[in-house]
Amino acid sequence: MIERIKQKAEQYYPEIQAIRHHIHAHPELSFQEQQTAAFISGKLGEWGIEHTTGIAGTGIVGLIKGKNPGSRCVALRADMDALPIQEANDVPYRSQNDGVMHACGHDVHSTCLLGAARILNDLRDEWEGTVKLIFQPGEEKHPGGASLMIAAGVLENPKPDAIFGLHVYPHLPTGTTGFRAGQYMASADEIYITIEGRGGHAALPHQTVDPIAIAAQVITGLQQVISRKGNPLIPSVLTFGKIAGGFATNVIPDSVELLGTFRTMDETWRYEAHKWIKDFTEQTCAAYGAKAIVDIPVGYPSLFNDPALTTKAEAWAREYMGADNVRTLDRRMAGEDFSFYTHHVPGCFFRIGTNTDDKEFLAPVHNAHFNINEESLKVGVGMMAWMAVNAMVASE
Ligand code: NI
């Protein structure tokens, strides 16, 4: 089976590359992926793969049935959205939509899932079970397309026994993959704080409630709260990315706004930390006679790769890629909405290397120069198909 999959990934490569160029040239922002979804639906239709469109807006779910389709179901997921970035690459397939770019490789993910679907469909008399294809909108934007797809029922009828997703990784060379069992990526929650004081003349602070001085206390104090209240064995990051308030050297403003993000890898500590952040901020502000308004909208949960599934997946990857080409990943404090699926179904989110010999294609994701060595498309397509085939026959 390995050789059949590799041979087909090679055979379909020109078409796979053309699909990636098309999607890359026509990027669409989160929850606006109409053209992308229509294009993907067109390809699935062309290959005779049954699918439903319009799920959670632009999402698509396809089913490929092998022999004995009720025996087991494996889901494969791709995201379709692009970012509000002006592409800086001068390539023939560069973005034709001003200010919008596939800078996180979601064009690659959609392409790899289409390629894998085509191969699995060709070989459907040779495997048992059902493959569920999930093309989701809005990975980059709150509340995350994955959460809406789950609410729309994509993990039911049939319920997958396992789910796989992949992501491009410019820190590894093309021809390699990376795995991490257990906690892999962080939860990501936004923090919005408004400190309401009372403005006045900078020379008469005793007649004001200075929200800027209080904001400084809040920022430094919260770092201590996170480092003293959080278990040091659980990674946590609190970053304020924006502070806004004031007008001039000699004016104390009425209010200050702080915008930040809190990330961690433990769901219990995550919600405890929210409470600490809220209580500490409110009480510190109260101590100085100010009022705090704290809003922490819940974002993506942490991404947990099922240890049993991921250990098996690494072994399958070594068979497909060669042992030297399967790497162990470090944990990452970035967020990823694939995490929503991993809290319902045993999941494995892995990486495919996309640079060339650690020399070219090194620009990070979310950068205007991000691009991939397209040979990595063959790896992504083949690996998704190979993971599905193995996970369908895998016993518990
Ligand atoms: Ni991404």
mmCIF file of all heavy atoms in Angstrom, residues 306-322:
data_model
loop_
_atom_site.group_PDB
_atom_site.id
_atom_site.type_symbol
_atom_site.label_atom_id
_atom_site.label_comp_id
_atom_site.label_asym_id
_atom_site.label_seq_id
_atom_site.Cartn_x
_atom_site.Cartn_y
_atom_site.Cartn_z
ATOM 1 N N ASP A 306 -3.584 12.769 21.155
ATOM 2 C CA ASP A 306 -3.829 11.508 21.865
ATOM 3 C C ASP A 306 -2.540 10.668 21.886
ATOM 4 O O ASP A 306 -2.000 10.333 20.824
ATOM 5 C CB ASP A 306 -4.955 10.746 21.163
ATOM 6 C CG ASP A 306 -5.323 9.488 21.913
ATOM 7 O OD1 ASP A 306 -6.014 9.602 22.934
ATOM 8 O OD2 ASP A 306 -4.882 8.394 21.492
ATOM 9 N N PRO A 307 -2.024 10.333 23.085
ATOM 10 C CA PRO A 307 -0.715 9.661 23.137
ATOM 11 C C PRO A 307 -0.684 8.318 22.400
ATOM 12 O O PRO A 307 0.269 8.043 21.671
ATOM 13 C CB PRO A 307 -0.468 9.482 24.637
ATOM 14 C CG PRO A 307 -1.293 10.540 25.294
ATOM 15 C CD PRO A 307 -2.519 10.680 24.434
ATOM 16 N N ALA A 308 -1.748 7.504 22.568
ATOM 17 C CA ALA A 308 -1.733 6.184 21.923
ATOM 18 C C ALA A 308 -1.776 6.338 20.403
ATOM 19 O O ALA A 308 -0.982 5.722 19.671
ATOM 20 C CB ALA A 308 -2.915 5.354 22.415
ATOM 21 N N LEU A 309 -2.680 7.190 19.930
ATOM 22 C CA LEU A 309 -2.814 7.390 18.481
ATOM 23 C C LEU A 309 -1.532 7.996 17.901
ATOM 24 O O LEU A 309 -1.050 7.581 16.844
ATOM 25 C CB LEU A 309 -4.011 8.312 18.196
ATOM 26 C CG LEU A 309 -4.260 8.618 16.724
ATOM 27 C CD1 LEU A 309 -4.711 7.369 15.968
ATOM 28 C CD2 LEU A 309 -5.310 9.728 16.566
ATOM 29 N N THR A 310 -0.976 8.987 18.600
ATOM 30 C CA THR A 310 0.198 9.691 18.076
ATOM 31 C C THR A 310 1.430 8.782 18.054
ATOM 32 O O THR A 310 2.239 8.838 17.125
ATOM 33 C CB THR A 310 0.457 10.974 18.897
ATOM 34 O OG1 THR A 310 -0.741 11.749 18.894
ATOM 35 C CG2 THR A 310 1.588 11.796 18.314
ATOM 36 N N THR A 311 1.565 7.932 19.067
ATOM 37 C CA THR A 311 2.679 6.977 19.078
ATOM 38 C C THR A 311 2.578 6.030 17.884
ATOM 39 O O THR A 311 3.565 5.753 17.195
ATOM 40 C CB THR A 311 2.683 6.183 20.407
ATOM 41 O OG1 THR A 311 2.730 7.128 21.479
ATOM 42 C CG2 THR A 311 3.872 5.255 20.495
ATOM 43 N N LYS A 312 1.340 5.566 17.602
ATOM 44 C CA LYS A 312 1.146 4.714 16.423
ATOM 45 C C LYS A 312 1.431 5.498 15.143
ATOM 46 O O LYS A 312 2.079 5.003 14.218
ATOM 47 C CB LYS A 312 -0.298 4.199 16.376
ATOM 48 C CG LYS A 312 -0.603 3.077 17.348
ATOM 49 C CD LYS A 312 -2.044 2.631 17.139
ATOM 50 C CE LYS A 312 -2.603 1.992 18.393
ATOM 51 N NZ LYS A 312 -4.078 2.025 18.425
ATOM 52 N N ALA A 313 0.937 6.732 15.097
ATOM 53 C CA ALA A 313 1.107 7.551 13.889
ATOM 54 C C ALA A 313 2.587 7.777 13.586
ATOM 55 O O ALA A 313 3.004 7.755 12.427
ATOM 56 C CB ALA A 313 0.383 8.887 14.058
ATOM 57 N N GLU A 314 3.387 7.963 14.640
ATOM 58 C CA GLU A 314 4.833 8.147 14.429
ATOM 59 C C GLU A 314 5.448 6.891 13.829
ATOM 60 O O GLU A 314 6.328 6.979 12.968
ATOM 61 C CB GLU A 314 5.522 8.466 15.768
ATOM 62 C CG GLU A 314 5.287 9.868 16.250
ATOM 63 C CD GLU A 314 6.056 10.145 17.551
ATOM 64 O OE1 GLU A 314 5.517 9.788 18.622
ATOM 65 O OE2 GLU A 314 7.160 10.696 17.489
ATOM 66 N N ALA A 315 4.984 5.732 14.291
ATOM 67 C CA ALA A 315 5.503 4.468 13.741
ATOM 68 C C ALA A 315 5.098 4.334 12.271
ATOM 69 O O ALA A 315 5.911 3.943 11.420
ATOM 70 C CB ALA A 315 4.985 3.285 14.561
ATOM 71 N N TRP A 316 3.847 4.693 11.951
ATOM 72 C CA TRP A 316 3.411 4.644 10.535
ATOM 73 C C TRP A 316 4.230 5.630 9.703
ATOM 74 O O TRP A 316 4.602 5.342 8.568
ATOM 75 C CB TRP A 316 1.918 4.979 10.419
ATOM 76 C CG TRP A 316 1.022 4.086 11.226
ATOM 77 C CD1 TRP A 316 1.247 2.768 11.543
ATOM 78 C CD2 TRP A 316 -0.225 4.442 11.841
ATOM 79 N NE1 TRP A 316 0.205 2.290 12.312
ATOM 80 C CE2 TRP A 316 -0.715 3.283 12.506
ATOM 81 C CE3 TRP A 316 -0.991 5.604 11.896
ATOM 82 C CZ2 TRP A 316 -1.925 3.272 13.206
ATOM 83 C CZ3 TRP A 316 -2.189 5.600 12.590
ATOM 84 C CH2 TRP A 316 -2.649 4.447 13.240
ATOM 85 N N ALA A 317 4.496 6.791 10.281
ATOM 86 C CA ALA A 317 5.276 7.803 9.554
ATOM 87 C C ALA A 317 6.690 7.296 9.285
ATOM 88 O O ALA A 317 7.244 7.529 8.206
ATOM 89 C CB ALA A 317 5.318 9.108 10.353
ATOM 90 N N ARG A 318 7.291 6.603 10.253
ATOM 91 C CA ARG A 318 8.645 6.069 10.041
ATOM 92 C C ARG A 318 8.645 5.071 8.887
ATOM 93 O O ARG A 318 9.587 5.020 8.098
ATOM 94 C CB ARG A 318 9.178 5.421 11.322
ATOM 95 C CG ARG A 318 9.625 6.454 12.364
ATOM 96 C CD ARG A 318 10.460 5.810 13.476
ATOM 97 N NE ARG A 318 9.663 4.965 14.338
ATOM 98 C CZ ARG A 318 9.006 5.401 15.434
ATOM 99 N NH1 ARG A 318 9.080 6.674 15.784
ATOM 100 N NH2 ARG A 318 8.290 4.572 16.157
ATOM 101 N N GLU A 319 7.558 4.275 8.780
ATOM 102 C CA GLU A 319 7.457 3.336 7.657
ATOM 103 C C GLU A 319 7.395 4.093 6.330
ATOM 104 O O GLU A 319 7.995 3.698 5.345
ATOM 105 C CB GLU A 319 6.181 2.496 7.768
ATOM 106 C CG GLU A 319 6.222 1.377 8.775
ATOM 107 C CD GLU A 319 4.867 0.665 8.803
ATOM 108 O OE1 GLU A 319 4.421 0.151 7.757
ATOM 109 O OE2 GLU A 319 4.223 0.669 9.881
ATOM 110 N N TYR A 320 6.637 5.194 6.337
ATOM 111 C CA TYR A 320 6.400 5.917 5.082
ATOM 112 C C TYR A 320 7.586 6.806 4.708
ATOM 113 O O TYR A 320 7.951 6.909 3.538
ATOM 114 C CB TYR A 320 5.133 6.773 5.212
ATOM 115 C CG TYR A 320 4.639 7.343 3.890
ATOM 116 C CD1 TYR A 320 3.803 6.590 3.062
ATOM 117 C CD2 TYR A 320 5.014 8.618 3.478
ATOM 118 C CE1 TYR A 320 3.356 7.094 1.852
ATOM 119 C CE2 TYR A 320 4.575 9.132 2.274
ATOM 120 C CZ TYR A 320 3.739 8.373 1.463
ATOM 121 O OH TYR A 320 3.303 8.877 0.266
ATOM 122 N N MET A 321 8.191 7.455 5.724
ATOM 123 C CA MET A 321 9.196 8.497 5.472
ATOM 124 C C MET A 321 10.627 8.012 5.670
ATOM 125 O O MET A 321 11.563 8.681 5.248
ATOM 126 C CB MET A 321 9.005 9.662 6.463
ATOM 127 C CG MET A 321 7.605 10.190 6.630
ATOM 128 S SD MET A 321 7.136 11.318 5.338
ATOM 129 C CE MET A 321 8.461 12.503 5.398
ATOM 130 N N GLY A 322 10.796 6.899 6.391
ATOM 131 C CA GLY A 322 12.126 6.512 6.857
ATOM 132 C C GLY A 322 12.326 7.083 8.259
ATOM 133 O O GLY A 322 11.936 8.225 8.525
#
